[in-house]
Amino acid sequence: MKIEFQQLSRQFEDGRIVLDSINFSDEIRTLAIIGPSGGGKSTLLRILGGLLLPTSGEVFVNGSPIPQNEEQLQRYRKEIGFVFQQGGLFRHMTALENIQIPLVQVHHYSERSAKERALELLERFGLKEDSHKRPFQLSGGQQQRVAIARAIAARPRFLLLDEPTSALDPEYTTEVLDIVNELKNEGMELIIVTHEMGFARHACEKAAFLCQGRLMEYGDSHTLFTHPQTPQLEQFLGRLLEWNI
Amino acid sequence: MKKLFILGKEDRPSLPAIVCSWLLVCIFIVVFFWISLHAIQTTFDFSFIADFHIRLLKGFGMTLLLSLASFIVSLFLGVISAAGQGSRLLPIRCLCTLYVTFIRGTPLIMQIYLFFYIIGTAWGIENRFLAGVLILSIFEGAYITEILRGSLLSIDAAQLEAARAVGFTHAQTIRWVILPQLIARTLPALTGQLASIIKDSSLLSMIAVIEITQTIREITATNFRLFEGYFFLGILYLCLTLPVTLASKVLERRFRYEN
Ligand SMILES: Nc1ncnc2c1ncn2[C@@H]1O[C@H](COP(=O)(O)OP(=O)(O)O)[C@@H](O)[C@H]1O
Ligand SMILES: [Mg+2]
């Protein structure tokens, strides 16, 4: 997909500028967004997902601008899969219902085909036994796998993931990243905000470094990690490596 | 022996222990009342139940009807006032806040006299049942407002964002996310409130609504069987409130995922 930002800015009510005139244009298949906390990564992803409007500037996806009014935004969001850091599953619905109900209500599947699709995905992600459990009965890793299943159930144009493993215990991180990688290999286009540098570097073609609301670096993920151009990225990567084994 | 009555820090009581303790408590209560009543040389005479069974049945029915009607009307008032507290019209918001503060801050019996005077005299509502339902509903509505308001405010912003992310419209978000979570969160508390309504309705005897408390008052005023009358009254209220309380507990367990 082709992503384009023109002078994209976002300011919150308290006046702080979270995204500061970001310009960008490229054809993307898999992109990792990295950067320090509070750098504006989630804000950028929410704008891309049609969940938040920019204060100024424009975003184009495959040449068409992200709409401004709620009705068109709803249509836009339907075609995108979004995975949150945590708490994104509806807590009163079972794993199955979390996938099935949006398929029926939003995408007009029949009850039966929605259920079939949901069960197919749950089985694929190793959750067959857990389809009737509610989120509180699932581990963090299982919850995120359900969330991914829900996000891809209606075959979205692309997938946005906001730190899908940050709230997880380390042993669950792999099972979630494996799924994301598998989807990537099947041709799913995705943008992932992550602190898993190994995943960003090896599983994503491109990487972007977002810091203090500015897009400081962008390029092939290998190059970005091996040849950081800015002192900020160098420092950021250095900190991450400090306790590496 | 010790094991029967004293729990260790982590122990769960065993069945025989539970039975023994209940038995002990019951014996104590019975003995206590028996001695008290013996002191004033009363003998038990529950024959009034048979003698007045039609009036008692009517009174009991009235309490039931009063409570259910008040529950429905107060739910209605509670929804309106909870919505009003979130209104963008400031005067509406003030009105609802004033309502809740005043009602929750004053005793029911004062409100009964005050509103009965206003409703009865100024609005000309002579029907005591209607007046009773209105007064009780106004009172309970304030508590229901608080229950609803509390759970509305505690709906997680992340759930609403997730609803938008999956593509729900506003109406679908209300239908599929907000309402089910609101119901799950409020239903146990609302059911508990019904138990309160049943008990509070007894105060309407003050304005001579012939519900069960008033019926007993009238009967005991003629036969002087005060202990038996009020004891029987207590049993009748328990017959209503215990199942309701039980239902509330069951609902709480059913919606456990809320916690
Ligand atoms: N709704 C909001 N209102 C005000 N400030 C916000 C809001 N959302 C995010 N911010 C602020 O914007 C900054 C960037 O947030 P975010 O995009 O979540 O960063 P990141 O995901 O990179 O950690 C943070 O300082 C945060 O406090
Ligand atoms: Mg974030």
Side-chain angles (χ1 to χ4, degrees):
Chain A
M1 67 193 139
K2 188 161 197 298
I3 300 282
E4 201 173 342
F5 300 138
Q6 287 177 6
Q7 295 290 327
L8 177 69
S9 296
R10 173 72 212 199
Q11 200 171 358
F12 283 107
E13 286 74 25
D14 55 8
R16 215 141 35 98
I17 296 168
V18 176
L19 293 176
D20 192 4
S21 332
I22 293 183
N23 288 299
F24 175 89
S25 173
D26 200 6
E27 182 72 32
I28 285 169
R29 282 207 295 272
T30 47
L31 169 69
I33 301 177
I34 60 169
S37 289
K41 304 182 298 294
S42 296
T43 306
L44 186 69
L45 209 66
R46 288 169 71 213
I47 289 175
L48 260 176
L51 296 170
L52 187 73
L53 289 173
T55 324
S56 64
E58 295 243 40
V59 182
F60 296 89
V61 178
N62 289 335
S64 39
I66 293 184
Q68 302 273 329
N69 73 54
E70 184 59 26
E71 206 176 311
Q72 288 174 336
L73 270 174
Q74 270 161 18
R75 213 167 312 140
Y76 173 79
R77 287 185 210 122
K78 274 168 63 169
E79 301 175 345
I80 295 173
F82 206 110
V83 177
F84 295 93
Q85 183 171 347
Q86 62 175 328
L89 292 178
F90 300 121
R91 48 202 281 182
H92 60 292
M93 295 184 191
T94 63
L96 179 67
E97 289 168 337
N98 259 288
I99 305 171
Q100 188 185 1
I101 289 175
L103 280 180
V104 173
Q105 298 303 323
V106 179
H107 302 279
H108 308 296
Y109 279 48
S110 71
E111 288 282 345
R112 231 187 81 210
S113 50
K115 188 169 179 183
E116 265 167 30
R117 173 73 176 146
L119 287 174
E120 168 199 328
L121 286 169
L122 288 172
E123 180 163 6
R124 177 178 164 192
F125 293 166
L127 294 159
K128 200 175 166 201
E129 311 296 310
D130 306 299
S131 62
H132 288 288
K133 290 189 183 158
R134 295 210 164 83
F136 82 101
Q137 294 162 310
L138 299 171
S139 75
Q142 290 172 325
Q143 288 181 30
Q144 289 304 65
R145 283 184 278 155
V146 176
I148 293 172
R150 184 178 74 185
I152 63 165
R155 302 190 169 80
R157 293 158 67 192
F158 54 90
L159 193 56
L160 302 175
L161 305 106
D162 189 1
E163 302 196 27
T165 60
S166 293
L168 301 183
D169 291 333
E171 70 256 42
Y172 295 133
T173 301
T174 320
E175 67 184 41
V176 172
L177 291 180
D178 281 348
I179 285 177
V180 179
N181 192 44
E182 210 179 294
L183 293 172
K184 178 206 103 176
N185 291 336
E186 285 168 13
M188 172 70 78
E189 299 188 313
L190 56 92
I191 299 177
I192 182 170
V193 175
T194 187
H195 287 297
E196 297 298 324
M197 292 305 141
F199 187 82
R201 180 169 170 177
H202 300 295
C204 299
E205 288 174 12
K206 306 276 182 169
F209 175 60
L210 202 61
C211 182
Q212 293 166 353
R214 284 204 294 273
L215 182 62
M216 296 248 178
E217 291 198 34
Y218 169 74
D220 287 338
S221 54
H222 260 284
T223 324
L224 192 115
F225 280 101
T226 46
H227 297 94
Q229 303 291 312
T230 57
Q232 284 92 342
L233 179 55
E234 206 161 335
Q235 193 188 5
F236 177 71
L237 293 176
R239 282 225 192 100
L240 288 176
L241 292 178
E242 189 178 356
W243 291 102
N244 255 18
I245 44 171
Chain B
M1 186 63 193
K2 197 175 144 208
K3 270 254 155 75
L4 270 188
F5 297 112
I6 298 171
L7 278 184
K9 241 187 191 149
E10 318 256 290
D11 293 355
R12 306 187 95 249
S14 66
L15 188 65
I18 292 176
V19 172
C20 279
S21 286
W22 277 110
L23 219 63
L24 191 74
V25 170
C26 289
I27 292 170
F28 172 77
I29 301 267
V30 168
V31 168
F32 173 80
F33 275 98
W34 195 79
I35 292 175
S36 305
L37 293 170
H38 194 72
I40 49 173
Q41 311 234 304
T42 318
T43 49
F44 298 125
D45 178 7
F46 282 99
S47 59
F48 72 94
I49 297 176
D51 298 343
F52 295 104
H53 72 274
I54 294 181
R55 278 176 73 187
L56 287 170
L57 217 58
K58 264 190 174 167
F60 189 69
M62 185 55 122
T63 288
L64 206 62
L65 211 61
L66 260 180
S67 306
L68 289 180
S70 302
F71 186 51
I72 292 167
V73 178
S74 62
L75 216 63
F76 189 70
L77 279 177
V79 169
I80 291 180
S81 126
Q85 283 195 349
S87 167
R88 276 153 66 184
L89 280 172
L90 219 47
I92 300 272
R93 219 190 268 200
C94 293
L95 181 69
C96 295
T97 307
L98 184 72
Y99 161 62
V100 173
T101 313
F102 176 76
I103 298 293
R104 284 168 51 97
T106 55
L108 175 56
I109 190 128
M110 173 237 114
Q111 293 168 25
I112 290 175
Y113 285 130
L114 179 69
F115 289 137
F116 186 60
Y117 182 70
I118 295 176
I119 292 175
T121 315
W123 302 359
I125 295 181
E126 292 294 318
N127 185 324
R128 280 166 194 268
F129 174 76
L130 200 61
V133 168
L134 278 178
I135 293 169
L136 198 55
S137 300
I138 291 172
F139 176 74
E140 305 291 343
Y143 289 84
I144 290 181
T145 303
E146 291 287 282
I147 294 174
L148 293 177
R149 192 80 199 133
S151 28
L152 203 56
L153 287 179
S154 67
I155 285 204
D156 198 353
Q159 295 281 295
L160 300 180
E161 181 148 67
R164 297 203 302 146
V166 300
F168 281 154
T169 62
H170 286 307
Q172 285 172 330
T173 303
I174 291 174
R175 161 69 184 83
W176 292 101
V177 182
I178 297 179
L179 266 185
Q181 296 197 0
L182 208 58
I183 289 171
R185 218 167 284 188
T186 53
L187 214 51
L190 286 180
T191 318
Q193 194 66 28
L194 178 58
S196 298
I197 292 178
I198 292 168
K199 289 179 288 172
D200 293 340
S201 73
S202 71
L203 278 174
L204 290 176
S205 59
M206 293 298 159
I207 52 169
V209 179
I210 321 283
E211 40 71 75
I212 190 64
T213 302
Q214 178 65 8
T215 307
I216 292 284
R217 270 167 46 140
E218 289 174 2
I219 292 173
T220 51
T222 55
N223 73 357
F224 304 111
R225 288 282 164 198
L226 282 164
F227 172 78
E228 294 92 326
Y230 284 106
F231 181 78
F232 182 59
L233 183 63
I235 301 284
L236 287 181
Y237 276 113
L238 279 177
C239 286
L240 293 178
T241 54
L242 280 186
V244 170
T245 313
L246 196 70
S248 171
K249 287 253 161 62
V250 169
L251 287 170
E252 213 165 286
R253 214 165 313 140
R254 156 113 210 270
F255 295 123
R256 200 159 37 103
Y257 60 83
E258 270 306 321
N259 307 309

